[in-house]
Amino acid sequence: MHSYRGETGKTSIIINLAEYLASMGKKICLVDFDLRSPSLLSHFSVRPRCYINDFLEERCRDINDVLVDIDGFSDNLCLAFASSDIKDIKESMMTDRIHQIRILNRLLNGRDSLKDKMDYLLLDTVQELDILQQMRSSSQIL
């Protein structure tokens, strides 16, 4: 879910979409990819072992390390949260073009490892996310 403006309700919409698809039997992975202003975690009472930031920055080895099953939601739904720690937010804001390409490759590798397990990978993104333009041109967005 992407919008060029903030505060448009995209997180609420994508949570509802993910839960609906999961209730219809689809395997869903919802990722908070808003690394500058993460909000998905505020909707759930969990403490992830690892955040998507850790995976993208290679502080954890596998995308499965960041996936969280949520009690009370469909068994077909797992989530990956962005860190709201100020250090991680600052780190994501200070990336150059080469670093963005490395993150894109890491994201695509993570997506590829989930292909057999998930029907849909849903990304809740930051506004003006240049990496999505690169991803759109390099591979199909699920």
Side-chain angles (χ1 to χ4, degrees):
M1 176 75 52
H2 180 71
S3 172
Y4 284 99
R5 291 186 31 224
E7 303 300 318
T8 58
K10 60 186 177 293
T11 299
S12 296
I13 290 169
I14 203 163
I15 290 171
N16 286 309
L17 175 62
E19 180 59 17
Y20 172 75
L21 291 170
S23 72
M24 299 300 289
K26 301 295 183 187
K27 299 233 183 258
I28 307 298
C29 181
L30 173 55
V31 179
D32 188 351
F33 207 65
D34 187 344
L35 304 178
R36 297 178 185 160
S37 183
S39 62
L40 190 61
L41 189 57
S42 66
H43 294 270
F44 300 94
S45 299
V46 295
R47 175 122 171 104
R49 285 180 313 205
C50 297
Y51 294 95
I52 194 68
N53 315 57
D54 298 319
F55 173 72
L56 296 173
E57 296 296 336
E58 301 182 49
R59 292 188 290 261
C60 67
R61 298 178 76 190
D62 191 276
I63 188 72
N64 292 300
D65 294 337
V66 303
L67 301 181
V68 177
D69 293 320
I70 304 295
D71 291 335
F73 275 73
S74 170
D75 290 339
N76 293 328
L77 176 64
C78 66
L79 294 98
F81 298 99
S83 172
S84 59
D85 186 292
I86 193 68
K87 172 185 65 78
D88 294 323
I89 293 170
K90 284 182 180 179
E91 180 180 58
S92 73
M93 295 173 80
M94 302 187 67
T95 60
D96 60 17
R97 192 76 161 159
I98 292 172
H99 188 73
Q100 283 186 351
I101 298 222
R102 193 178 90 229
I103 287 174
L104 172 64
N105 287 331
R106 191 89 166 128
L107 176 63
L108 292 174
N109 289 339
R111 184 208 57 192
D112 290 346
S113 71
L114 293 173
K115 275 187 178 179
D116 294 335
K117 298 176 190 169
M118 301 292 162
D119 294 312
Y120 295 100
L121 173 63
L122 303 177
L123 301 177
D124 185 18
T125 65
V126 66
Q127 60 196 27
E128 301 174 18
L129 188 62
D130 184 45
I131 206 164
L132 280 182
Q133 297 301 329
Q134 297 169 27
M135 191 173 175
R136 186 173 294 137
S137 65
S138 67
S139 185
Q140 176 185 4
I141 295 180
L142 300 175

